[in-house]
Amino acid sequence: FQSDEHVAKKVIDLGFYISLARPLLRLSKLQEVAKVIPIKNIVLETDSAPQRFKAKRKDWTEPRHIIDIAEKLSDLKGISVEEVEHATTRNMMNLLTRM
């Protein structure tokens, strides 16, 4: 997700989660949006394995970046990293069990 608060609200109202990745670390507008998205609607993501179709490898979100993303979200929301980990893991499990 890399859009604004209005789009985030529409997506959440449709029953989707907001997926945050490495852009959260560098995009100040996204950071402002992340502050207002309820933690119950957020999952964290990675691109995992290298994707050859992506031109800029340095911009990929790899599994090793998840801690940095969780720490940033923790800081933005004023909650502990453990709370972010618990909530986003619970959200992902809820997502997977709905499939």
Side-chain angles (χ1 to χ4, degrees):
F1 183 84
Q2 293 185 41
S3 194
D4 60 27
E5 185 178 348
H6 177 73
V7 171
K9 182 174 177 359
K10 283 188 170 193
V11 168
I12 291 167
D13 288 347
L14 289 170
F16 292 97
Y17 288 92
I18 301 295
S19 180
L20 298 174
R22 199 161 163 223
L24 182 65
L25 303 178
R26 67 178 184 276
L27 301 177
S28 59
K29 287 183 180 180
L30 181 58
Q31 293 169 5
E32 291 304 312
V33 175
K35 287 180 185 178
V36 298
I37 298 171
I39 193 71
K40 69 179 185 170
N41 299 110
I42 296 175
V43 295
L44 304 182
E45 70 161 288
T46 74
D47 295 329
S48 197
Q51 298 176 6
R52 300 190 193 295
F53 61 87
K54 288 197 172 182
K56 296 181 179 178
R57 180 178 169 95
K58 67 180 175 81
D59 291 338
W60 293 354
T61 303
E62 297 178 358
R64 65 189 169 97
H65 297 122
I66 285 292
I67 293 294
D68 296 333
I69 298 163
E71 288 173 347
K72 184 64 173 183
L73 188 58
S74 164
D75 182 54
L76 292 169
K77 293 201 154 297
I79 61 177
S80 71
V81 174
E82 292 77 17
E83 289 176 88
V84 169
E85 291 171 355
H86 178 76
T88 57
T89 299
R90 182 188 64 240
N91 296 343
M92 183 55 89
M93 295 303 291
N94 289 339
L95 173 67
L96 293 173
T97 58
R98 288 194 313 191
M99 298 177 100

